[in-house]
Amino acid sequence: MKNIIYNLGIDLTLDIIEGKWKTSLICWIGQKDRRNGELLNLMPGVSQKVLTQQLRELESDGIIQRTSYGTVPPKVVYSLTDDGMELRQMLVDLSIWGEKKASHLNDNGDHIHITHDSSEIIPEENPTLKLLEQ
């Protein structure tokens, strides 16, 4: 049992998603259940060691679940829990905000490139995306 004091709830949220790849993992796994190799392909630059570590941390925090099938070769699939899906929606909203901010900064002479846009991680019927496109 942990005894930790946070100033605000967002501090706990940031503690859970702290790590270079965790937010991307949550977004990609939330789009559809993913296997390890798929995640490596979607996130060039992440090492197998770091990927495994961050997946384990997210599993420990109750954000993702790991399903292992007793097959040879081994098959492991990662999916989001209900808490993970709720957190993911907030991260998608932050991603959309970041895309808009990058566009404004680029209009002012910056050179910001975002590899994947929010349309790749959310279904077309997402109401948040539809509102932003209007």
Side-chain angles (χ1 to χ4, degrees):
M1 186 165 143
K2 296 179 183 178
N3 185 18
I4 302 171
I5 298 172
Y6 291 100
N7 188 42
L8 294 169
I10 190 153
D11 298 326
L12 171 59
T13 306
L14 293 175
D15 192 25
I16 289 171
I17 63 172
E18 179 183 31
K20 181 175 180 179
W21 304 100
K22 286 184 181 178
T23 54
S24 292
L25 285 169
I26 294 166
C27 288
W28 286 120
I29 294 169
Q31 182 195 32
K32 70 175 194 168
D33 295 354
R34 300 279 184 177
R35 295 182 68 181
N36 188 307
E38 290 177 280
L39 295 168
L40 283 170
N41 288 335
L42 288 166
M43 300 182 307
V46 67
S47 69
Q48 180 63 64
K49 178 184 175 185
V50 170
L51 177 63
T52 300
Q53 177 186 17
Q54 294 203 350
L55 286 167
R56 285 182 181 157
E57 290 172 7
L58 288 170
E59 182 181 13
S60 174
D61 286 329
I63 304 302
I64 66 169
Q65 60 187 18
R66 179 182 186 272
T67 304
S68 181
Y69 300 89
T71 61
V72 177
K75 179 181 177 183
V76 175
V77 176
Y78 297 95
S79 58
L80 291 185
T81 62
D82 290 343
D83 283 348
M85 289 302 286
E86 188 176 352
L87 177 57
R88 181 181 185 275
Q89 184 56 55
M90 291 180 274
L91 295 176
V92 169
D93 292 342
L94 287 171
S95 185
I96 292 168
W97 183 89
E99 291 167 23
K100 291 170 58 178
K101 182 66 175 175
S103 177
H104 293 296
L105 292 171
N106 287 340
D107 289 346
N108 291 324
D110 289 339
H111 301 285
I112 297 170
H113 176 74
I114 298 174
T115 306
H116 299 280
D117 68 34
S118 56
S119 67
E120 295 178 69
I121 58 171
I122 54 179
E124 291 179 19
E125 65 272 7
N126 183 287
T128 303
L129 185 59
K130 283 187 177 180
L131 286 174
L132 290 171
E133 289 174 347
Q134 294 177 352

